[in-house]
mmCIF file with all atom_site columns, all heavy atoms in Angstrom:
data_model
loop_
_atom_site.group_PDB
_atom_site.id
_atom_site.type_symbol
_atom_site.label_atom_id
_atom_site.label_alt_id
_atom_site.label_comp_id
_atom_site.label_asym_id
_atom_site.label_entity_id
_atom_site.label_seq_id
_atom_site.pdbx_PDB_ins_code
_atom_site.Cartn_x
_atom_site.Cartn_y
_atom_site.Cartn_z
_atom_site.occupancy
_atom_site.B_iso_or_equiv
_atom_site.pdbx_formal_charge
_atom_site.auth_seq_id
_atom_site.auth_comp_id
_atom_site.auth_asym_id
_atom_site.auth_atom_id
_atom_site.pdbx_PDB_model_num
ATOM 1   N N   . GLY A 1 152 ? 148.352 96.459  115.893 1.00 0.00 ? 170 GLY A N   1
ATOM 2   C CA  . GLY A 1 152 ? 148.862 95.615  114.812 1.00 0.00 ? 170 GLY A CA  1
ATOM 3   C C   . GLY A 1 152 ? 148.431 95.975  113.404 1.00 0.00 ? 170 GLY A C   1
ATOM 4   O O   . GLY A 1 152 ? 148.845 95.318  112.466 1.00 0.00 ? 170 GLY A O   1
ATOM 5   N N   . ILE A 1 156 ? 145.739 102.133 111.106 1.00 0.00 ? 174 ILE A N   1
ATOM 6   C CA  . ILE A 1 156 ? 144.830 102.647 112.146 1.00 0.00 ? 174 ILE A CA  1
ATOM 7   C C   . ILE A 1 156 ? 145.580 103.467 113.195 1.00 0.00 ? 174 ILE A C   1
ATOM 8   O O   . ILE A 1 156 ? 146.640 103.056 113.669 1.00 0.00 ? 174 ILE A O   1
ATOM 9   C CB  . ILE A 1 156 ? 144.126 101.471 112.858 1.00 0.00 ? 174 ILE A CB  1
ATOM 10  C CG1 . ILE A 1 156 ? 143.279 100.654 111.877 1.00 0.00 ? 174 ILE A CG1 1
ATOM 11  C CG2 . ILE A 1 156 ? 143.300 101.952 114.032 1.00 0.00 ? 174 ILE A CG2 1
ATOM 12  C CD1 . ILE A 1 156 ? 141.855 101.075 111.744 1.00 0.00 ? 174 ILE A CD1 1
ATOM 13  N N   . GLU A 1 165 ? 146.200 110.129 133.068 1.00 0.00 ? 183 GLU A N   1
ATOM 14  C CA  . GLU A 1 165 ? 146.563 111.437 133.608 1.00 0.00 ? 183 GLU A CA  1
ATOM 15  C C   . GLU A 1 165 ? 145.327 112.113 134.200 1.00 0.00 ? 183 GLU A C   1
ATOM 16  O O   . GLU A 1 165 ? 145.385 112.692 135.295 1.00 0.00 ? 183 GLU A O   1
ATOM 17  C CB  . GLU A 1 165 ? 147.161 112.298 132.496 1.00 0.00 ? 183 GLU A CB  1
ATOM 18  C CG  . GLU A 1 165 ? 147.570 113.681 132.926 1.00 0.00 ? 183 GLU A CG  1
ATOM 19  C CD  . GLU A 1 165 ? 148.254 114.461 131.797 1.00 0.00 ? 183 GLU A CD  1
ATOM 20  O OE1 . GLU A 1 165 ? 147.638 114.658 130.726 1.00 0.00 ? 183 GLU A OE1 1
ATOM 21  O OE2 . GLU A 1 165 ? 149.401 114.870 131.975 1.00 0.00 ? 183 GLU A OE2 1
ATOM 22  N N   . PRO A 1 312 ? 153.712 106.203 110.296 1.00 0.00 ? 330 PRO A N   1
ATOM 23  C CA  . PRO A 1 312 ? 153.064 105.133 111.047 1.00 0.00 ? 330 PRO A CA  1
ATOM 24  C C   . PRO A 1 312 ? 152.603 105.556 112.440 1.00 0.00 ? 330 PRO A C   1
ATOM 25  O O   . PRO A 1 312 ? 153.040 105.035 113.460 1.00 0.00 ? 330 PRO A O   1
ATOM 26  C CB  . PRO A 1 312 ? 154.181 104.083 111.140 1.00 0.00 ? 330 PRO A CB  1
ATOM 27  C CG  . PRO A 1 312 ? 155.443 104.894 111.139 1.00 0.00 ? 330 PRO A CG  1
ATOM 28  C CD  . PRO A 1 312 ? 155.176 106.100 110.281 1.00 0.00 ? 330 PRO A CD  1
ATOM 29  N N   . GLY A 1 314 ? 150.598 105.607 115.653 1.00 0.00 ? 332 GLY A N   1
ATOM 30  C CA  . GLY A 1 314 ? 149.798 104.609 116.353 1.00 0.00 ? 332 GLY A CA  1
ATOM 31  C C   . GLY A 1 314 ? 148.815 105.258 117.303 1.00 0.00 ? 332 GLY A C   1
ATOM 32  O O   . GLY A 1 314 ? 147.619 105.034 117.230 1.00 0.00 ? 332 GLY A O   1
ATOM 33  N N   . LEU A 1 317 ? 147.747 110.922 122.297 1.00 0.00 ? 335 LEU A N   1
ATOM 34  C CA  . LEU A 1 317 ? 146.951 111.259 123.475 1.00 0.00 ? 335 LEU A CA  1
ATOM 35  C C   . LEU A 1 317 ? 147.189 112.712 123.862 1.00 0.00 ? 335 LEU A C   1
ATOM 36  O O   . LEU A 1 317 ? 148.344 113.142 123.981 1.00 0.00 ? 335 LEU A O   1
ATOM 37  C CB  . LEU A 1 317 ? 147.323 110.355 124.661 1.00 0.00 ? 335 LEU A CB  1
ATOM 38  C CG  . LEU A 1 317 ? 147.147 108.846 124.468 1.00 0.00 ? 335 LEU A CG  1
ATOM 39  C CD1 . LEU A 1 317 ? 147.519 108.100 125.748 1.00 0.00 ? 335 LEU A CD1 1
ATOM 40  C CD2 . LEU A 1 317 ? 145.718 108.515 124.061 1.00 0.00 ? 335 LEU A CD2 1
ATOM 41  N N   . HIS A 1 319 ? 146.937 115.896 126.561 1.00 0.00 ? 337 HIS A N   1
ATOM 42  C CA  . HIS A 1 319 ? 146.918 116.065 128.015 1.00 0.00 ? 337 HIS A CA  1
ATOM 43  C C   . HIS A 1 319 ? 145.486 116.262 128.508 1.00 0.00 ? 337 HIS A C   1
ATOM 44  O O   . HIS A 1 319 ? 144.699 116.961 127.877 1.00 0.00 ? 337 HIS A O   1
ATOM 45  C CB  . HIS A 1 319 ? 147.744 117.293 128.415 1.00 0.00 ? 337 HIS A CB  1
ATOM 46  C CG  . HIS A 1 319 ? 149.212 117.024 128.462 1.00 0.00 ? 337 HIS A CG  1
ATOM 47  N ND1 . HIS A 1 319 ? 149.789 116.210 129.405 1.00 0.00 ? 337 HIS A ND1 1
ATOM 48  C CD2 . HIS A 1 319 ? 150.228 117.457 127.678 1.00 0.00 ? 337 HIS A CD2 1
ATOM 49  C CE1 . HIS A 1 319 ? 151.100 116.157 129.206 1.00 0.00 ? 337 HIS A CE1 1
ATOM 50  N NE2 . HIS A 1 319 ? 151.394 116.895 128.156 1.00 0.00 ? 337 HIS A NE2 1
ATOM 51  N N   . GLY B 1 152 ? 150.919 114.937 134.025 1.00 0.00 ? 155 GLY B N   1
ATOM 52  C CA  . GLY B 1 152 ? 150.450 116.123 134.734 1.00 0.00 ? 155 GLY B CA  1
ATOM 53  C C   . GLY B 1 152 ? 151.137 117.433 134.408 1.00 0.00 ? 155 GLY B C   1
ATOM 54  O O   . GLY B 1 152 ? 150.804 118.448 134.983 1.00 0.00 ? 155 GLY B O   1
ATOM 55  N N   . ILE B 1 156 ? 155.028 119.000 128.676 1.00 0.00 ? 159 ILE B N   1
ATOM 56  C CA  . ILE B 1 156 ? 155.827 117.819 128.335 1.00 0.00 ? 159 ILE B CA  1
ATOM 57  C C   . ILE B 1 156 ? 155.048 116.852 127.443 1.00 0.00 ? 159 ILE B C   1
ATOM 58  O O   . ILE B 1 156 ? 153.886 116.573 127.702 1.00 0.00 ? 159 ILE B O   1
ATOM 59  C CB  . ILE B 1 156 ? 156.236 117.063 129.623 1.00 0.00 ? 159 ILE B CB  1
ATOM 60  C CG1 . ILE B 1 156 ? 157.109 117.948 130.524 1.00 0.00 ? 159 ILE B CG1 1
ATOM 61  C CG2 . ILE B 1 156 ? 156.932 115.752 129.297 1.00 0.00 ? 159 ILE B CG2 1
ATOM 62  C CD1 . ILE B 1 156 ? 158.583 117.830 130.312 1.00 0.00 ? 159 ILE B CD1 1
ATOM 63  N N   . GLU B 1 165 ? 152.386 96.972  121.314 1.00 0.00 ? 168 GLU B N   1
ATOM 64  C CA  . GLU B 1 165 ? 152.147 96.424  119.975 1.00 0.00 ? 168 GLU B CA  1
ATOM 65  C C   . GLU B 1 165 ? 153.358 95.629  119.499 1.00 0.00 ? 168 GLU B C   1
ATOM 66  O O   . GLU B 1 165 ? 153.228 94.525  118.958 1.00 0.00 ? 168 GLU B O   1
ATOM 67  C CB  . GLU B 1 165 ? 151.855 97.568  118.997 1.00 0.00 ? 168 GLU B CB  1
ATOM 68  C CG  . GLU B 1 165 ? 151.607 97.127  117.571 1.00 0.00 ? 168 GLU B CG  1
ATOM 69  C CD  . GLU B 1 165 ? 151.206 98.291  116.671 1.00 0.00 ? 168 GLU B CD  1
ATOM 70  O OE1 . GLU B 1 165 ? 152.002 99.268  116.559 1.00 0.00 ? 168 GLU B OE1 1
ATOM 71  O OE2 . GLU B 1 165 ? 150.135 98.252  116.084 1.00 0.00 ? 168 GLU B OE2 1
ATOM 72  N N   . PRO B 1 312 ? 147.945 120.752 123.414 1.00 0.00 ? 315 PRO B N   1
ATOM 73  C CA  . PRO B 1 312 ? 148.315 119.965 124.612 1.00 0.00 ? 315 PRO B CA  1
ATOM 74  C C   . PRO B 1 312 ? 148.616 118.494 124.306 1.00 0.00 ? 315 PRO B C   1
ATOM 75  O O   . PRO B 1 312 ? 147.978 117.594 124.815 1.00 0.00 ? 315 PRO B O   1
ATOM 76  C CB  . PRO B 1 312 ? 147.071 120.097 125.488 1.00 0.00 ? 315 PRO B CB  1
ATOM 77  C CG  . PRO B 1 312 ? 145.940 120.236 124.501 1.00 0.00 ? 315 PRO B CG  1
ATOM 78  C CD  . PRO B 1 312 ? 146.504 120.978 123.318 1.00 0.00 ? 315 PRO B CD  1
ATOM 79  N N   . GLY B 1 314 ? 150.083 115.046 124.641 1.00 0.00 ? 317 GLY B N   1
ATOM 80  C CA  . GLY B 1 314 ? 150.622 114.285 125.759 1.00 0.00 ? 317 GLY B CA  1
ATOM 81  C C   . GLY B 1 314 ? 151.539 113.175 125.287 1.00 0.00 ? 317 GLY B C   1
ATOM 82  O O   . GLY B 1 314 ? 152.689 113.092 125.686 1.00 0.00 ? 317 GLY B O   1
ATOM 83  N N   . THR B 1 315 ? 151.022 112.322 124.432 1.00 0.00 ? 318 THR B N   1
ATOM 84  C CA  . THR B 1 315 ? 151.748 111.126 124.010 1.00 0.00 ? 318 THR B CA  1
ATOM 85  C C   . THR B 1 315 ? 151.587 110.905 122.510 1.00 0.00 ? 318 THR B C   1
ATOM 86  O O   . THR B 1 315 ? 150.479 111.017 121.995 1.00 0.00 ? 318 THR B O   1
ATOM 87  C CB  . THR B 1 315 ? 151.183 109.888 124.753 1.00 0.00 ? 318 THR B CB  1
ATOM 88  O OG1 . THR B 1 315 ? 151.398 110.051 126.155 1.00 0.00 ? 318 THR B OG1 1
ATOM 89  C CG2 . THR B 1 315 ? 151.864 108.602 124.295 1.00 0.00 ? 318 THR B CG2 1
ATOM 90  N N   . LEU B 1 317 ? 152.647 107.788 119.998 1.00 0.00 ? 320 LEU B N   1
ATOM 91  C CA  . LEU B 1 317 ? 153.300 106.487 119.818 1.00 0.00 ? 320 LEU B CA  1
ATOM 92  C C   . LEU B 1 317 ? 153.211 106.076 118.355 1.00 0.00 ? 320 LEU B C   1
ATOM 93  O O   . LEU B 1 317 ? 152.129 106.109 117.766 1.00 0.00 ? 320 LEU B O   1
ATOM 94  C CB  . LEU B 1 317 ? 152.630 105.421 120.677 1.00 0.00 ? 320 LEU B CB  1
ATOM 95  C CG  . LEU B 1 317 ? 152.617 105.662 122.191 1.00 0.00 ? 320 LEU B CG  1
ATOM 96  C CD1 . LEU B 1 317 ? 151.962 104.483 122.907 1.00 0.00 ? 320 LEU B CD1 1
ATOM 97  C CD2 . LEU B 1 317 ? 154.025 105.878 122.731 1.00 0.00 ? 320 LEU B CD2 1
ATOM 98  N N   . HIS B 1 319 ? 153.510 103.208 115.325 1.00 0.00 ? 322 HIS B N   1
ATOM 99  C CA  . HIS B 1 319 ? 153.327 101.764 115.190 1.00 0.00 ? 322 HIS B CA  1
ATOM 100 C C   . HIS B 1 319 ? 154.685 101.062 115.227 1.00 0.00 ? 322 HIS B C   1
ATOM 101 O O   . HIS B 1 319 ? 155.660 101.536 114.643 1.00 0.00 ? 322 HIS B O   1
ATOM 102 C CB  . HIS B 1 319 ? 152.648 101.439 113.861 1.00 0.00 ? 322 HIS B CB  1
ATOM 103 C CG  . HIS B 1 319 ? 151.165 101.611 113.904 1.00 0.00 ? 322 HIS B CG  1
ATOM 104 N ND1 . HIS B 1 319 ? 150.347 100.803 114.654 1.00 0.00 ? 322 HIS B ND1 1
ATOM 105 C CD2 . HIS B 1 319 ? 150.347 102.507 113.299 1.00 0.00 ? 322 HIS B CD2 1
ATOM 106 C CE1 . HIS B 1 319 ? 149.089 101.187 114.503 1.00 0.00 ? 322 HIS B CE1 1
ATOM 107 N NE2 . HIS B 1 319 ? 149.058 102.220 113.689 1.00 0.00 ? 322 HIS B NE2 1
#
Side-chain angles (χ1 to χ4, degrees):
Chain A
I174 299 269
E183 180 176 59
L335 301 182
H337 279 291
Chain B
I159 298 268
E168 179 175 59
T318 297
L320 301 182
H322 278 293

